[in-house]
Amino acid sequence: METSGIKVKEIMTGEVVIARPEMTIMEVARLMNSFRIGGLPIVESGKLIGMITERDIMNRVVAANLKSSEMKVSQVMTSPPKVIGNLDEDIKSIAGKISKFDVTRIPIVDAENRLVGIVTNRDVLRNSHELLDVLLEQAKIKGQLTEDEGHTAFGKCEICGQSSQLQF
């Protein structure tokens, strides 16, 4: 399948684990750990109002030496979140937004700002070998990948099908 033909509605996850603004950071961290996810959309009265990520928790709670059991999600979340409101947006545009906004996940909303799904950088990678270079460049810029390490990335080998650190 050609990358430019892949739409957000084809790769998004429709059943999304969410958090509420009144939850504590400790509750959210446990929820994220139990589902092995790095961020959650924050929903109130059926509307998306923010996002909370591991980075938010590390920067705004742990680094500030605050008690996670006393901090509320509403105090730590990023609001308003970066979103995609078009289910027909193509994968190349999504990859560009992930890079531009410096995020690893983008919530998908309808016209009334109700959460309908989420797309992660892994969803993009799984569905687009052509866009791997864009995300590798983003990792280099963020310092997550250096030139010394060679051209490697986590992925699935097209020859043997195993998932691991790959070399180009």
Side-chain angles (χ1 to χ4, degrees), residues 4 12 42 45 96 125-126 149 163:
S4 60
M12 73 178 193
I42 312 305
S45 303
L125 281 175
R126 247 192 319 269
E149 297 174 69
S163 296

Side-chain angles (χ1 to χ4, degrees), residues 2-119:
E2 186 181 305
T3 300
S4 60
I6 300 173
K7 307 294 183 198
V8 70
K9 63 186 169 191
E10 298 171 52
I11 66 167
M12 73 178 193
T13 300
E15 293 184 20
V16 183
V17 178
I18 63 165
R20 305 266 181 223
E22 68 274 3
M23 293 173 73
T24 66
I25 296 304
M26 183 187 300
E27 290 171 323
V28 165
R30 288 180 176 158
L31 186 62
M32 289 166 63
N33 276 336
S34 68
F35 284 95
R36 296 182 49 91
I37 50 181
L40 298 171
I42 312 305
V43 176
E44 183 175 53
S45 303
K47 309 282 184 182
L48 179 70
I49 62 166
M51 281 292 293
I52 189 157
T53 65
E54 293 167 323
R55 190 182 331 169
D56 294 328
I57 294 170
M58 293 299 293
N59 289 336
R60 299 178 188 155
V61 180
V62 176
N65 198 27
L66 300 172
K67 285 185 92 174
S68 63
S69 60
E70 296 175 1
M71 297 292 300
K72 298 291 184 192
V73 168
S74 60
Q75 297 172 283
V76 178
M77 70 184 185
T78 299
S79 182
K82 304 295 184 191
V83 300
I84 293 174
N86 177 2
L87 290 173
D88 289 320
E89 191 162 331
D90 72 22
I91 196 169
K92 191 174 256 185
S93 173
I94 297 164
K97 287 181 179 178
I98 285 173
S99 181
K100 177 183 174 187
F101 299 146
D102 191 24
V103 297
T104 57
R105 60 196 45 81
I106 300 181
I108 313 304
V109 296
D110 65 12
E112 285 80 43
N113 205 42
R114 289 185 304 239
L115 183 67
V116 295
I118 197 161
V119 172

Side-chain angles (χ1 to χ4, degrees), residues 141-156:
I141 291 167
K142 290 168 131 181
Q144 296 171 344
L145 181 66
T146 64
E147 294 293 338
D148 299 0
E149 297 174 69
H151 291 74
T152 65
F154 187 83
K156 188 173 185 178

